[in-house]
Amino acid sequence: MHEPTDDPELLLIDAETVTELRDRTAHLTELVKESTLADVAATLRRGLADRPVRAGVVAASAAQASERLTGLAVKLDATTTIDPANGIFVGRANGTLRIGYLFPGQGASNDVDNSALTRRFETAREFYRATRIPTAENLFPPSIFQQQIVASSIAGLRVLSVLGIEATAAVGHSLGDLTALHWAGAMTESELLTFVGERGQIVAKACTRTGAMAGIAAGPGKVEPLLRGEPVVIVGYNNPDETAIAGPAEAVERVQRAALAADLKADRMPVADAFHSSAMTPAADGLRTHLKDMHFRPLRRSVMSTVTGDVLQSDTDLRDLLVNQICEPVRFQQAVERMADEVDLFIEVGPSQALSGHARRICPNIPAVALSTESTSLSGLLSAAAAAYVLGAPVRTDLLTAGKGAQS
């Protein structure tokens, strides 16, 4: 057996029928015992012919590839299997694939230099060379932390575009709303990053650091009774079984204890204040003043707002929307449910994996994959590419073999 590679590889095969695909899978199982994974991936890529029945595995060693190919063989009769956790992908190319992007508002680190995306793809390296993102060791000041998150999503968008993977709709979570607006054409990369920094400074000035947030593992129907008599409100509808709350720190702590007493998991969030609540009114006022001199371009793509829970019209007044966002709850579940009618695959574009997990809970029939843009492993990107390819997207597979993407 060969030693693990520096990066995982994506092994893709296509065929006219399931029977033919099964034969190709059996042949591939033997092939990985004889050659390096990089060579096998390159050979397979040259043999792809846009045939409709497709499959693939993401693996970092010959042993792992053999194990996953065995698992793949069991799944070949299924119409669709998108299993990034186990690196197994099966699908049919039956027309145009509709992809929905998910843009996170949390999950960034400071170690972009060691991320697999910047290591493999020139477009990501070029972005970070041209863009000076400050670093911070904690979540404060938010302007720095939030710029890191948004920059990571931008790098992911660049790489996806190089690979020919494009979305038809998007949803952002909290800060991710701004990235979604950029993706839709309202702001350039530099305008987005500048605005995120300015917005973060406005929010930081408004923070008293007396508020808190918590996540409760239950839907709003179970959470609302816990809030009675407390100055605590729901500020996030993440999925049918996860709700975020915010309020004064001591009141949030009391609600947490009540949740635990009701056998509900409740975790304090690592944030500086009670965001998306009336406690942020001073920040909303400051942002309103700041936005008077800002102009946004009309939206050219479909964005589902987590402020309204619905699709934004091209002529939406984004200044009013962004002011309202500061104090309004994050209606992520409602926005994803709205987008579900328009997409066949979710791809989370950013350093987090939380939104793809939420999306699976909200829409279990639509597969979801996370890029994990700041991971040292390329498995997130390869999984997204595998999911897109087996479902029919025109992926630039030639850029996925080790050494190729670095020239993109």
Side-chain angles (χ1 to χ4, degrees):
M1 291 290 182
H2 303 289
E3 293 298 317
T5 59
D6 291 335
D7 274 323
E9 293 289 345
L10 174 56
L11 311 181
L12 293 172
I13 49 179
D14 62 1
E16 295 294 340
T17 65
V18 172
T19 299
E20 181 185 349
L21 191 68
R22 194 177 299 281
D23 291 340
R24 289 177 180 270
T25 301
H27 174 69
L28 179 55
T29 301
E30 296 302 315
L31 189 61
V32 296
K33 299 176 182 177
E34 302 168 1
S35 304
T36 66
L37 281 188
D39 287 343
V40 172
T43 299
L44 292 174
R45 175 182 58 78
R46 289 191 293 269
L48 296 175
D50 290 328
R51 290 174 282 248
V53 187
R54 302 178 178 186
V57 299
V58 174
S61 68
Q64 189 177 66
S66 295
E67 177 185 351
R68 292 183 170 184
L69 286 166
T70 299
L72 173 65
V74 176
K75 302 288 188 179
L76 291 180
D77 289 327
T79 302
T80 301
T81 296
I82 306 298
D83 184 1
N86 292 303
I88 297 173
F89 305 86
V90 180
R92 307 290 188 271
N94 296 322
T96 303
L97 175 65
R98 303 171 304 169
I99 296 173
Y101 284 158
L102 308 174
F103 294 111
Q106 296 182 0
S109 72
N110 296 329
D111 197 17
V112 296
D113 290 338
N114 292 322
S115 75
L117 251 61
T118 51
R119 188 172 68 243
R120 177 73 74 91
F121 290 91
E122 172 60 25
T123 187
R125 293 196 295 275
E126 188 277 331
F127 168 68
Y128 280 110
R129 281 198 301 266
T131 307
R132 296 298 179 187
I133 306 297
T135 60
E137 298 301 323
N138 53 47
L139 306 190
F140 222 81
S143 58
I144 294 177
F145 182 61
Q146 291 174 358
Q147 283 178 301
Q148 293 170 349
I149 298 170
V150 168
S152 189
S153 291
I154 291 173
L157 281 174
R158 282 183 164 221
V159 171
L160 289 170
S161 181
V162 164
L163 295 177
I165 299 173
E166 301 288 351
T168 59
V171 168
H173 189 287
S174 190
L175 173 69
D177 276 327
L178 308 186
T179 313
L181 294 177
H182 153 69
W183 168 83
M187 294 175 275
T188 65
E189 291 176 350
S190 60
E191 288 169 342
L192 170 63
L193 287 168
T194 298
F195 176 56
V196 167
E198 294 167 345
R199 175 182 177 272
Q201 291 174 13
I202 292 169
V203 171
K205 290 178 181 178
C207 283
T208 63
R209 308 198 76 168
T210 59
M213 298 177 68
I216 300 178
K222 292 184 178 180
V223 172
E224 287 167 352
L226 304 175
L227 309 183
R228 290 171 186 158
E230 294 286 0
V232 177
V233 294
I234 291 176
V235 295
Y237 300 87
N238 291 332
N239 70 50
D241 300 304
E242 183 175 319
T243 304
I245 61 170
E250 65 278 6
V252 169
E253 186 175 345
R254 288 194 296 270
V255 174
Q256 281 184 264
R257 291 198 296 267
L260 294 172
D263 293 325
L264 300 175
K265 184 179 179 182
D267 294 318
R268 186 81 163 257
M269 294 182 182
V271 297
D273 216 321
F275 297 116
H276 293 287
S277 75
S278 60
M280 292 294 105
T281 298
D285 293 340
L287 187 61
R288 182 179 292 105
T289 299
H290 179 78
L291 286 170
K292 286 181 179 178
D293 297 325
M294 283 196 66
H295 297 280
F296 298 96
R297 296 168 187 82
L299 301 180
R300 296 182 285 103
R301 291 167 165 167
S302 181
V303 172
M304 313 300 161
S305 170
T306 58
V307 180
T308 66
D310 204 349
V311 63
L312 294 178
Q313 301 303 310
S314 60
D315 60 351
T316 297
D317 188 327
L318 298 183
R319 288 173 295 187
D320 283 347
L321 182 81
L322 292 172
V323 169
N324 292 337
Q325 185 209 35
I326 295 290
C327 297
E328 288 291 314
V330 179
R331 295 175 174 86
F332 182 74
Q333 178 177 340
Q334 294 90 326
V336 169
E337 288 172 340
R338 176 64 179 81
M339 189 166 69
D341 295 333
E342 300 184 14
V343 301
D344 310 300
L345 171 68
F346 295 118
I347 297 179
E348 182 173 359
V349 187
S352 168
Q353 298 183 37
L355 298 191
S356 48
H358 292 328
R360 293 186 198 103
R361 300 297 297 273
I362 298 166
C363 303
N365 295 325
I366 300 178
V369 183
L371 278 191
S372 300
T373 48
E374 293 183 4
S375 172
T376 57
S377 170
L378 207 63
S379 60
L381 176 66
L382 296 183
S383 293
Y389 175 78
V390 301
L391 294 177
V395 180
R396 286 287 307 276
T397 58
D398 56 307
L399 299 180
L400 291 171
T401 303
K404 296 292 185 180
Q407 307 303 315
S408 65

